[in-house]
Amino acid sequence: LKQDSSESVRRSVANNLNDISKDNPEFVFSLVKDWHGMRDETDALIKHACRTLLKQAEPRVMALFGYASTGIEVSDFALTTAKVGFGNSVEFSFSNLNKTDNAQKIRIEYAIYHLKKNGELTRKVFKVSERDVEQNSVTKIVKKHAIKPITTRKYYPGRHQVSAIINGIESGPIDFELEMKPDFNP
């Protein structure tokens, strides 16, 4: 089915492999390593199948897809404001530095550390983009993340965090304060 003519069938294979990767990453890595380079459609399938492993920055998976762990740095990571009202966005920016003498493939992500009811923080990674960057170059990233009602998360007022991630290497996190209206009831 990995080479089925239907994209929806191939996508289903990728989704199943992604689910398996959560319990058995070794099996999935071994499989995708064998399938890598067969065809463009299969490469797209295995990349989608490895999305959880990529968000976890599994080193062998990062290397398989060409994301270097050296020579790439984050600088100037900053928040626009340290306080965010519920229903607004946390805004942040950072620069990506390619300090090597070669063009590099980069995966740009960020993480939000949400405050839970018990006072602990839980991490959620969001992909921004993937791109090639020239040697000895700087790329500026500006991002907004909406803090609004969703069915899968309850928000609690207090200290939350945001971090920048390039090729699986995390910078930060930086604290921000989530403010709720007095009548808010989580």
Side-chain angles (χ1 to χ4, degrees), residues 49-112:
C50 289
R51 66 189 181 276
T52 295
L53 297 174
L54 285 166
K55 284 184 177 187
Q56 293 171 347
E58 205 294 331
R60 296 171 302 168
V61 174
M62 298 297 284
L64 181 69
F65 291 107
Y67 303 115
S69 61
T70 59
I72 303 291
E73 293 181 11
V74 171
S75 69
D76 304 323
F77 182 36
L79 292 173
T80 303
T81 180
K83 292 186 179 187
V84 177
F86 186 71
N88 294 316
S89 297
V90 58
E91 299 178 30
F92 55 94
S93 63
F94 58 93
S95 294
N96 162 59
L97 303 165
N98 178 4
K99 293 186 156 190
T100 69
D101 291 331
N102 302 307
Q104 295 281 351
K105 186 176 179 181
I106 61 168
R107 180 181 175 90
I108 303 167
E109 299 168 301
Y110 66 95
I112 300 288

Side-chain angles (χ1 to χ4, degrees):
L1 295 177
K2 72 180 179 288
Q3 295 181 346
D4 193 276
S5 60
S6 170
E7 183 178 348
S8 63
V9 171
R10 293 191 311 270
R11 179 69 72 157
S12 180
V13 171
N15 288 337
N16 279 285
L17 287 173
N18 184 59
D19 289 343
I20 293 168
S21 76
K22 296 171 187 175
D23 297 326
N24 197 339
E26 290 298 324
F27 170 77
V28 172
F29 177 72
S30 176
L31 189 70
V32 300
K33 188 174 149 191
D34 289 344
W35 291 1
H36 188 259
M38 284 183 163
R39 295 174 42 190
D40 288 345
E41 293 85 2
T42 307
D43 285 349
L45 178 153
I46 65 172
K47 189 156 193 188
H48 191 65
C50 289
R51 66 189 181 276
T52 295
L53 297 174
L54 285 166
K55 284 184 177 187
Q56 293 171 347
E58 205 294 331
R60 296 171 302 168
V61 174
M62 298 297 284
L64 181 69
F65 291 107
Y67 303 115
S69 61
T70 59
I72 303 291
E73 293 181 11
V74 171
S75 69
D76 304 323
F77 182 36
L79 292 173
T80 303
T81 180
K83 292 186 179 187
V84 177
F86 186 71
N88 294 316
S89 297
V90 58
E91 299 178 30
F92 55 94
S93 63
F94 58 93
S95 294
N96 162 59
L97 303 165
N98 178 4
K99 293 186 156 190
T100 69
D101 291 331
N102 302 307
Q104 295 281 351
K105 186 176 179 181
I106 61 168
R107 180 181 175 90
I108 303 167
E109 299 168 301
Y110 66 95
I112 300 288
Y113 290 82
H114 295 283
L115 182 65
K116 298 190 317 184
K117 187 175 185 177
N118 66 6
E120 295 179 8
L121 295 173
T122 182
R123 181 178 185 245
K124 174 82 173 139
V125 175
F126 300 89
K127 181 179 165 187
V128 175
S129 69
E130 296 177 0
R131 60 180 77 161
D132 293 323
V133 293
E134 297 299 320
Q135 67 267 13
N136 299 308
S137 66
V138 177
T139 306
K140 177 94 171 174
I141 309 295
V142 178
K143 188 70 185 152
K144 290 182 181 182
H145 181 87
I147 307 291
K148 62 184 180 185
I150 57 174
T151 58
T152 56
R153 176 172 317 283
K154 284 191 174 185
Y155 288 95
Y156 299 94
R159 181 182 66 94
H160 295 247
Q161 297 177 324
V162 61
S163 65
I165 306 169
I166 303 288
N167 288 1
I169 300 168
E170 190 168 10
S171 295
I174 298 176
D175 293 348
F176 68 93
E177 189 78 19
L178 178 60
E179 298 176 326
M180 302 288 201
K181 293 179 180 176
D183 60 347
F184 180 76
N185 186 9

